[in-house]
PDB file of all heavy atoms in Angstrom:
ATOM      1  N   HIS A   1     -58.636 -19.873  52.972  1.00 93.00           N
ATOM      2  CA  HIS A   1     -59.485 -20.342  54.072  1.00 93.00           C
ATOM      3  C   HIS A   1     -60.101 -19.165  54.827  1.00 93.00           C
ATOM      4  O   HIS A   1     -61.222 -19.243  55.315  1.00 93.00           O
ATOM      5  CB  HIS A   1     -58.704 -21.246  55.029  1.00 93.00           C
ATOM      6  CG  HIS A   1     -58.214 -22.501  54.369  1.00 93.00           C
ATOM      7  ND1 HIS A   1     -59.050 -23.498  53.940  1.00 93.00           N
ATOM      8  CD2 HIS A   1     -56.960 -22.885  54.043  1.00 93.00           C
ATOM      9  CE1 HIS A   1     -58.346 -24.460  53.383  1.00 93.00           C
ATOM     10  NE2 HIS A   1     -57.072 -24.111  53.433  1.00 93.00           N
ATOM     11  N   GLN A   2     -59.360 -18.049  54.914  1.00 93.00           N
ATOM     12  CA  GLN A   2     -59.880 -16.863  55.590  1.00 93.00           C
ATOM     13  C   GLN A   2     -61.042 -16.257  54.811  1.00 93.00           C
ATOM     14  O   GLN A   2     -62.006 -15.774  55.394  1.00 93.00           O
ATOM     15  CB  GLN A   2     -58.779 -15.814  55.797  1.00 93.00           C
ATOM     16  CG  GLN A   2     -59.211 -14.630  56.619  1.00 93.00           C
ATOM     17  CD  GLN A   2     -59.656 -15.026  58.024  1.00 93.00           C
ATOM     18  OE1 GLN A   2     -58.986 -15.822  58.682  1.00 93.00           O
ATOM     19  NE2 GLN A   2     -60.785 -14.497  58.485  1.00 93.00           N
ATOM     20  N   ILE A   3     -60.970 -16.305  53.489  1.00 94.00           N
ATOM     21  CA  ILE A   3     -62.065 -15.806  52.656  1.00 94.00           C
ATOM     22  C   ILE A   3     -63.333 -16.585  52.958  1.00 94.00           C
ATOM     23  O   ILE A   3     -64.400 -16.009  53.185  1.00 94.00           O
ATOM     24  CB  ILE A   3     -61.709 -15.914  51.157  1.00 94.00           C
ATOM     25  CG1 ILE A   3     -60.531 -14.991  50.817  1.00 94.00           C
ATOM     26  CG2 ILE A   3     -62.927 -15.589  50.295  1.00 94.00           C
ATOM     27  CD1 ILE A   3     -59.966 -15.211  49.432  1.00 94.00           C
ATOM     28  N   ASP A   4     -63.224 -17.929  52.993  1.00 94.00           N
ATOM     29  CA  ASP A   4     -64.380 -18.777  53.308  1.00 94.00           C
ATOM     30  C   ASP A   4     -64.883 -18.526  54.727  1.00 94.00           C
ATOM     31  O   ASP A   4     -66.083 -18.471  54.968  1.00 94.00           O
ATOM     32  CB  ASP A   4     -64.032 -20.256  53.131  1.00 94.00           C
ATOM     33  CG  ASP A   4     -63.825 -20.646  51.678  1.00 94.00           C
ATOM     34  OD1 ASP A   4     -64.352 -19.950  50.780  1.00 94.00           O
ATOM     35  OD2 ASP A   4     -63.124 -21.655  51.438  1.00 94.00           O
ATOM     36  N   ALA A   5     -63.952 -18.365  55.661  1.00 95.00           N
ATOM     37  CA  ALA A   5     -64.336 -18.130  57.059  1.00 95.00           C
ATOM     38  C   ALA A   5     -65.052 -16.792  57.204  1.00 95.00           C
ATOM     39  O   ALA A   5     -66.041 -16.690  57.940  1.00 95.00           O
ATOM     40  CB  ALA A   5     -63.106 -18.186  57.966  1.00 95.00           C
ATOM     41  N   ASP A   6     -64.580 -15.766  56.514  1.00 95.00           N
ATOM     42  CA  ASP A   6     -65.234 -14.457  56.569  1.00 95.00           C
ATOM     43  C   ASP A   6     -66.653 -14.540  56.011  1.00 95.00           C
ATOM     44  O   ASP A   6     -67.594 -13.982  56.580  1.00 95.00           O
ATOM     45  CB  ASP A   6     -64.436 -13.411  55.790  1.00 95.00           C
ATOM     46  CG  ASP A   6     -63.149 -13.001  56.473  1.00 95.00           C
ATOM     47  OD1 ASP A   6     -62.967 -13.319  57.662  1.00 95.00           O
ATOM     48  OD2 ASP A   6     -62.309 -12.363  55.796  1.00 95.00           O
ATOM     49  N   HIS A   7     -66.820 -15.259  54.892  1.00 93.00           N
ATOM     50  CA  HIS A   7     -68.161 -15.406  54.308  1.00 93.00           C
ATOM     51  C   HIS A   7     -69.069 -16.187  55.258  1.00 93.00           C
ATOM     52  O   HIS A   7     -70.235 -15.807  55.455  1.00 93.00           O
ATOM     53  CB  HIS A   7     -68.093 -16.089  52.948  1.00 93.00           C
ATOM     54  CG  HIS A   7     -69.427 -16.212  52.300  1.00 93.00           C
ATOM     55  ND1 HIS A   7     -70.084 -15.134  51.750  1.00 93.00           N
ATOM     56  CD2 HIS A   7     -70.256 -17.267  52.143  1.00 93.00           C
ATOM     57  CE1 HIS A   7     -71.251 -15.527  51.272  1.00 93.00           C
ATOM     58  NE2 HIS A   7     -71.381 -16.818  51.503  1.00 93.00           N
ATOM     59  N   ALA A   8     -68.553 -17.240  55.854  1.00 94.00           N
ATOM     60  CA  ALA A   8     -69.349 -18.035  56.803  1.00 94.00           C
ATOM     61  C   ALA A   8     -69.772 -17.186  57.998  1.00 94.00           C
ATOM     62  O   ALA A   8     -70.914 -17.287  58.468  1.00 94.00           O
ATOM     63  CB  ALA A   8     -68.552 -19.259  57.268  1.00 94.00           C
ATOM     64  N   GLU A   9     -68.876 -16.328  58.484  1.00 95.00           N
ATOM     65  CA  GLU A   9     -69.208 -15.460  59.616  1.00 95.00           C
ATOM     66  C   GLU A   9     -70.293 -14.455  59.240  1.00 95.00           C
ATOM     67  O   GLU A   9     -71.250 -14.239  59.990  1.00 95.00           O
ATOM     68  CB  GLU A   9     -67.960 -14.723  60.103  1.00 95.00           C
ATOM     69  CG  GLU A   9     -68.226 -13.830  61.306  1.00 95.00           C
ATOM     70  CD  GLU A   9     -66.972 -13.128  61.800  1.00 95.00           C
ATOM     71  OE1 GLU A   9     -65.859 -13.434  61.326  1.00 95.00           O
ATOM     72  OE2 GLU A   9     -67.121 -12.257  62.676  1.00 95.00           O
ATOM     73  N   ARG A  10     -70.180 -13.862  58.062  1.00 93.00           N
ATOM     74  CA  ARG A  10     -71.210 -12.923  57.611  1.00 93.00           C
ATOM     75  C   ARG A  10     -72.551 -13.628  57.423  1.00 93.00           C
ATOM     76  O   ARG A  10     -73.602 -13.065  57.732  1.00 93.00           O
ATOM     77  CB  ARG A  10     -70.787 -12.251  56.301  1.00 93.00           C
ATOM     78  CG  ARG A  10     -69.680 -11.239  56.481  1.00 93.00           C
ATOM     79  CD  ARG A  10     -69.284 -10.629  55.156  1.00 93.00           C
ATOM     80  NE  ARG A  10     -68.182  -9.707  55.333  1.00 93.00           N
ATOM     81  CZ  ARG A  10     -67.971  -8.664  54.563  1.00 93.00           C
ATOM     82  NH1 ARG A  10     -68.769  -8.391  53.554  1.00 93.00           N
ATOM     83  NH2 ARG A  10     -66.951  -7.883  54.785  1.00 93.00           N
ATOM     84  N   THR A  11     -72.508 -14.853  56.912  1.00 89.00           N
ATOM     85  CA  THR A  11     -73.733 -15.635  56.726  1.00 89.00           C
ATOM     86  C   THR A  11     -74.380 -15.940  58.070  1.00 89.00           C
ATOM     87  O   THR A  11     -75.601 -15.799  58.224  1.00 89.00           O
ATOM     88  CB  THR A  11     -73.430 -16.938  55.960  1.00 89.00           C
ATOM     89  OG1 THR A  11     -72.862 -16.608  54.693  1.00 89.00           O
ATOM     90  CG2 THR A  11     -74.683 -17.759  55.753  1.00 89.00           C
ATOM     91  N   THR A  12     -73.576 -16.327  59.055  1.00 90.00           N
ATOM     92  CA  THR A  12     -74.090 -16.605  60.404  1.00 90.00           C
ATOM     93  C   THR A  12     -74.693 -15.349  61.015  1.00 90.00           C
ATOM     94  O   THR A  12     -75.786 -15.405  61.598  1.00 90.00           O
ATOM     95  CB  THR A  12     -72.956 -17.149  61.295  1.00 90.00           C
ATOM     96  OG1 THR A  12     -72.474 -18.372  60.726  1.00 90.00           O
ATOM     97  CG2 THR A  12     -73.443 -17.400  62.708  1.00 90.00           C
ATOM     98  N   ASP A  13     -74.014 -14.229  60.878  1.00 90.00           N
ATOM     99  CA  ASP A  13     -74.534 -12.962  61.410  1.00 90.00           C
ATOM    100  C   ASP A  13     -75.861 -12.600  60.750  1.00 90.00           C
ATOM    101  O   ASP A  13     -76.810 -12.198  61.420  1.00 90.00           O
ATOM    102  CB  ASP A  13     -73.535 -11.820  61.201  1.00 90.00           C
ATOM    103  CG  ASP A  13     -72.306 -11.940  62.076  1.00 90.00           C
ATOM    104  OD1 ASP A  13     -72.319 -12.746  63.032  1.00 90.00           O
ATOM    105  OD2 ASP A  13     -71.316 -11.233  61.783  1.00 90.00           O
ATOM    106  N   PHE A  14     -75.942 -12.756  59.427  1.00 85.00           N
ATOM    107  CA  PHE A  14     -77.180 -12.426  58.725  1.00 85.00           C
ATOM    108  C   PHE A  14     -78.309 -13.362  59.159  1.00 85.00           C
ATOM    109  O   PHE A  14     -79.431 -12.918  59.411  1.00 85.00           O
ATOM    110  CB  PHE A  14     -76.981 -12.513  57.207  1.00 85.00           C
ATOM    111  CG  PHE A  14     -78.226 -12.171  56.437  1.00 85.00           C
ATOM    112  CD1 PHE A  14     -78.595 -10.852  56.245  1.00 85.00           C
ATOM    113  CD2 PHE A  14     -79.040 -13.170  55.934  1.00 85.00           C
ATOM    114  CE1 PHE A  14     -79.754 -10.527  55.556  1.00 85.00           C
ATOM    115  CE2 PHE A  14     -80.197 -12.857  55.234  1.00 85.00           C
ATOM    116  CZ  PHE A  14     -80.558 -11.533  55.054  1.00 85.00           C
ATOM    117  N   ALA A  15     -78.008 -14.647  59.254  1.00 84.00           N
ATOM    118  CA  ALA A  15     -79.029 -15.624  59.635  1.00 84.00           C
ATOM    119  C   ALA A  15     -79.562 -15.366  61.044  1.00 84.00           C
ATOM    120  O   ALA A  15     -80.716 -15.693  61.337  1.00 84.00           O
ATOM    121  CB  ALA A  15     -78.474 -17.039  59.536  1.00 84.00           C
ATOM    122  N   ALA A  16     -78.751 -14.763  61.910  1.00 83.00           N
ATOM    123  CA  ALA A  16     -79.156 -14.523  63.297  1.00 83.00           C
ATOM    124  C   ALA A  16     -79.938 -13.227  63.472  1.00 83.00           C
ATOM    125  O   ALA A  16     -80.540 -13.004  64.512  1.00 83.00           O
ATOM    126  CB  ALA A  16     -77.919 -14.489  64.191  1.00 83.00           C
ATOM    127  N   HIS A  17     -79.965 -12.383  62.445  1.00 81.00           N
ATOM    128  CA  HIS A  17     -80.611 -11.084  62.624  1.00 81.00           C
ATOM    129  C   HIS A  17     -82.131 -11.196  62.457  1.00 81.00           C
ATOM    130  O   HIS A  17     -82.646 -12.124  61.852  1.00 81.00           O
ATOM    131  CB  HIS A  17     -80.032 -10.046  61.653  1.00 81.00           C
ATOM    132  CG  HIS A  17     -80.825  -9.846  60.398  1.00 81.00           C
ATOM    133  ND1 HIS A  17     -80.750 -10.690  59.325  1.00 81.00           N
ATOM    134  CD2 HIS A  17     -81.726  -8.895  60.065  1.00 81.00           C
ATOM    135  CE1 HIS A  17     -81.559 -10.265  58.371  1.00 81.00           C
ATOM    136  NE2 HIS A  17     -82.169  -9.175  58.786  1.00 81.00           N
ATOM    137  N   THR A  18     -82.810 -10.254  63.047  1.00 77.00           N
ATOM    138  CA  THR A  18     -84.246 -10.106  62.846  1.00 77.00           C
ATOM    139  C   THR A  18     -84.505  -8.657  62.476  1.00 77.00           C
ATOM    140  O   THR A  18     -83.729  -7.767  62.812  1.00 77.00           O
ATOM    141  CB  THR A  18     -85.062 -10.456  64.110  1.00 77.00           C
ATOM    142  OG1 THR A  18     -84.616  -9.623  65.176  1.00 77.00           O
ATOM    143  CG2 THR A  18     -84.887 -11.920  64.490  1.00 77.00           C
ATOM    144  N   CYS A  19     -85.572  -8.432  61.754  1.00 76.00           N
ATOM    145  CA  CYS A  19     -85.923  -7.074  61.378  1.00 76.00           C
ATOM    146  C   CYS A  19     -87.406  -7.034  61.041  1.00 76.00           C
ATOM    147  O   CYS A  19     -88.070  -8.059  61.029  1.00 76.00           O
ATOM    148  CB  CYS A  19     -85.084  -6.606  60.181  1.00 76.00           C
ATOM    149  SG  CYS A  19     -85.477  -7.448  58.650  1.00 76.00           S
ATOM    150  N   ASN A  20     -87.905  -5.859  60.776  1.00 73.00           N
ATOM    151  CA  ASN A  20     -89.307  -5.731  60.374  1.00 73.00           C
ATOM    152  C   ASN A  20     -89.398  -5.175  58.952  1.00 73.00           C
ATOM    153  O   ASN A  20     -90.383  -4.575  58.574  1.00 73.00           O
ATOM    154  CB  ASN A  20     -90.071  -4.846  61.363  1.00 73.00           C
ATOM    155  CG  ASN A  20     -89.517  -3.438  61.427  1.00 73.00           C
ATOM    156  OD1 ASN A  20     -88.548  -3.106  60.750  1.00 73.00           O
ATOM    157  ND2 ASN A  20     -90.118  -2.611  62.254  1.00 73.00           N
ATOM    158  N   CYS A  21     -88.358  -5.440  58.162  1.00 74.00           N
ATOM    159  CA  CYS A  21     -88.291  -4.956  56.785  1.00 74.00           C
ATOM    160  C   CYS A  21     -89.087  -5.887  55.874  1.00 74.00           C
ATOM    161  O   CYS A  21     -88.900  -7.093  55.906  1.00 74.00           O
ATOM    162  CB  CYS A  21     -86.831  -4.902  56.353  1.00 74.00           C
ATOM    163  SG  CYS A  21     -86.580  -4.579  54.611  1.00 74.00           S
ATOM    164  N   GLY A  22     -89.931  -5.325  55.048  1.00 71.00           N
ATOM    165  CA  GLY A  22     -90.706  -6.130  54.124  1.00 71.00           C
ATOM    166  C   GLY A  22     -89.888  -6.775  53.020  1.00 71.00           C
ATOM    167  O   GLY A  22     -90.402  -7.590  52.264  1.00 71.00           O
ATOM    168  N   TRP A  23     -88.599  -6.430  52.915  1.00 70.00           N
ATOM    169  CA  TRP A  23     -87.736  -7.007  51.879  1.00 70.00           C
ATOM    170  C   TRP A  23     -86.959  -8.208  52.372  1.00 70.00           C
ATOM    171  O   TRP A  23     -86.186  -8.793  51.635  1.00 70.00           O
ATOM    172  CB  TRP A  23     -86.750  -5.945  51.386  1.00 70.00           C
ATOM    173  CG  TRP A  23     -87.434  -4.905  50.575  1.00 70.00           C
ATOM    174  CD1 TRP A  23     -87.862  -3.677  51.003  1.00 70.00           C
ATOM    175  CD2 TRP A  23     -87.816  -5.007  49.215  1.00 70.00           C
ATOM    176  NE1 TRP A  23     -88.478  -3.013  49.988  1.00 70.00           N
ATOM    177  CE2 TRP A  23     -88.465  -3.807  48.874  1.00 70.00           C
ATOM    178  CE3 TRP A  23     -87.681  -5.980  48.236  1.00 70.00           C
ATOM    179  CZ2 TRP A  23     -88.968  -3.558  47.604  1.00 70.00           C
ATOM    180  CZ3 TRP A  23     -88.178  -5.739  46.975  1.00 70.00           C
ATOM    181  CH2 TRP A  23     -88.813  -4.540  46.672  1.00 70.00           C
ATOM    182  N   CYS A  24     -87.147  -8.609  53.600  1.00 73.00           N
ATOM    183  CA  CYS A  24     -86.320  -9.661  54.193  1.00 73.00           C
ATOM    184  C   CYS A  24     -87.201 -10.738  54.806  1.00 73.00           C
ATOM    185  O   CYS A  24     -88.126 -10.432  55.556  1.00 73.00           O
ATOM    186  CB  CYS A  24     -85.425  -9.032  55.254  1.00 73.00           C
ATOM    187  SG  CYS A  24     -84.392 -10.211  56.122  1.00 73.00           S
ATOM    188  N   TRP A  25     -86.907 -11.987  54.508  1.00 68.00           N
ATOM    189  CA  TRP A  25     -87.715 -13.065  55.078  1.00 68.00           C
ATOM    190  C   TRP A  25     -87.486 -13.206  56.568  1.00 68.00           C
ATOM    191  O   TRP A  25     -88.245 -13.867  57.243  1.00 68.00           O
ATOM    192  CB  TRP A  25     -87.475 -14.403  54.365  1.00 68.00           C
ATOM    193  CG  TRP A  25     -86.044 -14.826  54.333  1.00 68.00           C
ATOM    194  CD1 TRP A  25     -85.371 -15.514  55.284  1.00 68.00           C
ATOM    195  CD2 TRP A  25     -85.117 -14.579  53.295  1.00 68.00           C
ATOM    196  NE1 TRP A  25     -84.076 -15.706  54.910  1.00 68.00           N
ATOM    197  CE2 TRP A  25     -83.892 -15.146  53.683  1.00 68.00           C
ATOM    198  CE3 TRP A  25     -85.191 -13.938  52.067  1.00 68.00           C
ATOM    199  CZ2 TRP A  25     -82.750 -15.088  52.895  1.00 68.00           C
ATOM    200  CZ3 TRP A  25     -84.063 -13.885  51.277  1.00 68.00           C
ATOM    201  CH2 TRP A  25     -82.862 -14.456  51.688  1.00 68.00           C
ATOM    202  N   HIS A  26     -86.493 -12.553  57.120  1.00 68.00           N
ATOM    203  CA  HIS A  26     -86.284 -12.553  58.568  1.00 68.00           C
ATOM    204  C   HIS A  26     -87.321 -11.694  59.283  1.00 68.00           C
ATOM    205  O   HIS A  26     -87.407 -11.712  60.497  1.00 68.00           O
ATOM    206  CB  HIS A  26     -84.876 -12.045  58.905  1.00 68.00           C
ATOM    207  CG  HIS A  26     -83.798 -12.993  58.527  1.00 68.00           C
ATOM    208  ND1 HIS A  26     -83.159 -13.792  59.432  1.00 68.00           N
ATOM    209  CD2 HIS A  26     -83.259 -13.304  57.320  1.00 68.00           C
ATOM    210  CE1 HIS A  26     -82.268 -14.533  58.816  1.00 68.00           C
ATOM    211  NE2 HIS A  26     -82.310 -14.249  57.522  1.00 68.00           N
ATOM    212  N   ALA A  27     -88.122 -10.968  58.524  1.00 67.00           N
ATOM    213  CA  ALA A  27     -89.152 -10.115  59.122  1.00 67.00           C
ATOM    214  C   ALA A  27     -90.322 -10.938  59.647  1.00 67.00           C
ATOM    215  O   ALA A  27     -91.085 -10.467  60.475  1.00 67.00           O
ATOM    216  CB  ALA A  27     -89.662  -9.099  58.107  1.00 67.00           C
ATOM    217  N   ALA A  28     -90.477 -12.176  59.186  1.00 59.00           N
ATOM    218  CA  ALA A  28     -91.574 -13.013  59.662  1.00 59.00           C
ATOM    219  C   ALA A  28     -91.393 -13.270  61.154  1.00 59.00           C
ATOM    220  O   ALA A  28     -90.317 -13.630  61.615  1.00 59.00           O
ATOM    221  CB  ALA A  28     -91.596 -14.331  58.898  1.00 59.00           C
ATOM    222  N   LEU A  29     -92.438 -13.063  61.913  1.00 52.00           N
ATOM    223  CA  LEU A  29     -92.348 -13.240  63.364  1.00 52.00           C
ATOM    224  C   LEU A  29     -91.995 -14.671  63.740  1.00 52.00           C
ATOM    225  O   LEU A  29     -91.347 -14.911  64.749  1.00 52.00           O
ATOM    226  CB  LEU A  29     -93.664 -12.833  64.024  1.00 52.00           C
ATOM    227  CG  LEU A  29     -94.030 -11.359  63.877  1.00 52.00           C
ATOM    228  CD1 LEU A  29     -95.392 -11.104  64.517  1.00 52.00           C
ATOM    229  CD2 LEU A  29     -92.976 -10.477  64.527  1.00 52.00           C
ATOM    230  N   ASP A  30     -92.414 -15.615  62.924  1.00 57.00           N
ATOM    231  CA  ASP A  30     -92.144 -17.015  63.232  1.00 57.00           C
ATOM    232  C   ASP A  30     -90.968 -17.561  62.432  1.00 57.00           C
ATOM    233  O   ASP A  30     -90.853 -18.759  62.193  1.00 57.00           O
ATOM    234  CB  ASP A  30     -93.391 -17.864  62.969  1.00 57.00           C
ATOM    235  CG  ASP A  30     -93.859 -17.778  61.518  1.00 57.00           C
ATOM    236  OD1 ASP A  30     -93.332 -16.925  60.762  1.00 57.00           O
ATOM    237  OD2 ASP A  30     -94.738 -18.562  61.150  1.00 57.00           O
ATOM    238  N   TYR A  31     -90.048 -16.682  62.025  1.00 53.00           N
ATOM    239  CA  TYR A  31     -88.921 -17.098  61.200  1.00 53.00           C
ATOM    240  C   TYR A  31     -88.076 -18.133  61.927  1.00 53.00           C
ATOM    241  O   TYR A  31     -87.697 -17.965  63.072  1.00 53.00           O
ATOM    242  CB  TYR A  31     -88.044 -15.899  60.821  1.00 53.00           C
ATOM    243  CG  TYR A  31     -86.783 -16.314  60.112  1.00 53.00           C
ATOM    244  CD1 TYR A  31     -86.841 -16.743  58.799  1.00 53.00           C
ATOM    245  CD2 TYR A  31     -85.571 -16.328  60.757  1.00 53.00           C
ATOM    246  CE1 TYR A  31     -85.700 -17.160  58.136  1.00 53.00           C
ATOM    247  CE2 TYR A  31     -84.429 -16.741  60.117  1.00 53.00           C
ATOM    248  CZ  TYR A  31     -84.497 -17.159  58.805  1.00 53.00           C
ATOM    249  OH  TYR A  31     -83.369 -17.576  58.166  1.00 53.00           O
ATOM    250  N   ASP A  32     -87.798 -19.233  61.247  1.00 60.00           N
ATOM    251  CA  ASP A  32     -86.935 -20.293  61.740  1.00 60.00           C
ATOM    252  C   ASP A  32     -85.859 -20.514  60.683  1.00 60.00           C
ATOM    253  O   ASP A  32     -86.171 -20.959  59.578  1.00 60.00           O
ATOM    254  CB  ASP A  32     -87.751 -21.573  61.953  1.00 60.00           C
ATOM    255  CG  ASP A  32     -86.887 -22.760  62.345  1.00 60.00           C
ATOM    256  OD1 ASP A  32     -85.660 -22.608  62.497  1.00 60.00           O
ATOM    257  OD2 ASP A  32     -87.460 -23.857  62.495  1.00 60.00           O
ATOM    258  N   PRO A  33     -84.591 -20.201  60.983  1.00 59.00           N
ATOM    259  CA  PRO A  33     -83.551 -20.318  59.964  1.00 59.00           C
ATOM    260  C   PRO A  33     -83.384 -21.728  59.417  1.00 59.00           C
ATOM    261  O   PRO A  33     -82.866 -21.917  58.324  1.00 59.00           O
ATOM    262  CB  PRO A  33     -82.280 -19.828  60.664  1.00 59.00           C
ATOM    263  CG  PRO A  33     -82.572 -19.889  62.106  1.00 59.00           C
ATOM    264  CD  PRO A  33     -84.056 -19.754  62.261  1.00 59.00           C
TER     265      PRO A  33
END
């Protein structure tokens, strides 16, 4: 269960990030997860 929880936490952290990197869809100014 801890393995799943750790992955879920990393996924949540990644989904919440923003950047201006052309390799990441989070770079879109209007990004909506």
Side-chain angles (χ1 to χ4, degrees):
H1 297 292
Q2 186 60 45
I3 295 170
D4 291 337
D6 288 347
H7 182 73
E9 182 179 352
R10 288 179 183 209
T11 301
T12 299
D13 290 346
F14 180 79
H17 97 280
T18 57
C19 69
N20 61 359
C21 171
W23 289 98
C24 178
W25 55 86
H26 290 258
L29 296 177
D30 59 350
Y31 173 74
D32 175 2

